[in-house]
Amino acid sequence: MKIGIDIDGTMNNLDEVLKPLLEQQYGIKPQYDKYELFTGMTKEQIEEFEINNKRAFVYDVKPLDDVQDVIHRLSNKRHVIFIITARNFNKYYKTTLEWLSLNNFFIDDFHYLSFDNHDKVKTCIKEKIDIMIEDCPMHLHDLYLNKIKTIKMNHPYNTDSLSTYEANNWKEIYEIIERVI
């Protein structure tokens, strides 16, 4: 089975780390039930925030419970794992590889790392992904409309998002995949 996995909010706790930093540095109080992190910020402010907090992206953002174990188990069962992220390649390639390595993800477990995926439907179709694990409401909506099976990683900001399956943690994701195959 080909399994697509998003990074931010699906594999890690990015929101939990960045939202307090946005409040401290810019006085922005992001709502935890909204997906938009940078609401009200200019492009220049966002770029400044990303540069000033690059260390937080690598060292403070932590993997969600059981994610390393589940991905490794899936890979050992010969599932093909695709990381499909909207992260910008030029800005975040090295940072992403460093984060994966620091957090004991085995790069050998990943068949494919795909960056700049603001159209995850196109990538899922091109790579013939059987199921996509995602948290972003916009991507969940597009994947669902295009009949691509999804597992929604539940968060307060995506309660209304449609998906094929829902999970609250990585153990549930593993159970869903085991049932589906």
Side-chain angles (χ1 to χ4, degrees), residues 29-141:
K29 292 187 179 190
Q31 297 176 5
Y32 285 84
D33 63 342
K34 301 284 185 214
Y35 187 74
E36 302 85 23
L37 275 177
F38 303 112
T39 301
M41 293 176 71
T42 65
K43 185 176 181 179
E44 292 77 21
Q45 287 175 315
I46 294 168
E47 287 178 10
E48 177 186 62
F49 177 81
E50 290 173 340
I51 290 167
N52 292 340
N53 294 285
K54 193 171 190 172
R55 182 174 169 76
F57 280 90
V58 177
Y59 298 105
D60 298 342
V61 173
K62 300 296 180 210
L64 297 178
D65 291 343
D66 302 309
V67 63
Q68 298 104 317
D69 178 57
V70 168
I71 289 174
H72 190 62
R73 286 168 55 196
L74 292 169
S75 177
N76 282 342
K77 288 189 168 203
R78 302 291 183 234
H79 295 292
V80 182
I81 309 296
F82 290 73
I83 299 297
I84 301 173
T85 180
R87 288 182 177 193
N88 178 281
F89 178 83
N90 292 328
K91 284 186 187 177
Y92 294 111
Y93 179 74
K94 286 172 41 177
T95 304
T96 300
L97 290 182
E98 185 177 358
W99 182 83
L100 290 167
S101 178
L102 278 171
N103 288 288
N104 300 314
F105 288 98
F106 302 105
I107 299 302
D108 292 348
D109 286 341
F110 305 119
H111 175 72
Y112 179 82
L113 259 80
S114 176
F115 288 78
D116 294 315
N117 274 289
H118 298 285
D119 184 353
K120 292 187 180 184
V121 169
K122 186 186 294 184
T123 303
C124 287
I125 290 170
K126 176 183 170 214
E127 299 299 334
K128 298 182 174 114
I129 298 298
D130 296 301
I131 195 159
M132 179 71 192
I133 305 167
E134 179 66 62
D135 71 306
C136 171
M138 177 189 73
H139 295 307
L140 286 165
H141 175 80

Side-chain angles (χ1 to χ4, degrees), residues 124-181:
C124 287
I125 290 170
K126 176 183 170 214
E127 299 299 334
K128 298 182 174 114
I129 298 298
D130 296 301
I131 195 159
M132 179 71 192
I133 305 167
E134 179 66 62
D135 71 306
C136 171
M138 177 189 73
H139 295 307
L140 286 165
H141 175 80
D142 293 345
L143 293 161
Y144 188 82
L145 287 180
N146 283 277
K147 297 180 179 17
I148 296 167
K149 290 181 184 169
T150 55
I151 300 175
K152 173 174 62 172
M153 176 60 83
N154 285 329
H155 288 283
Y157 53 77
N158 67 14
T159 56
D160 294 335
S161 299
L162 296 172
S163 62
T164 315
Y165 307 97
E166 294 184 24
N168 295 304
N169 57 57
W170 276 88
K171 285 182 180 179
E172 289 180 13
I173 288 171
Y174 185 78
E175 291 168 7
I176 291 167
I177 291 171
E178 285 293 294
R179 273 195 329 262
V180 169
I181 57 170

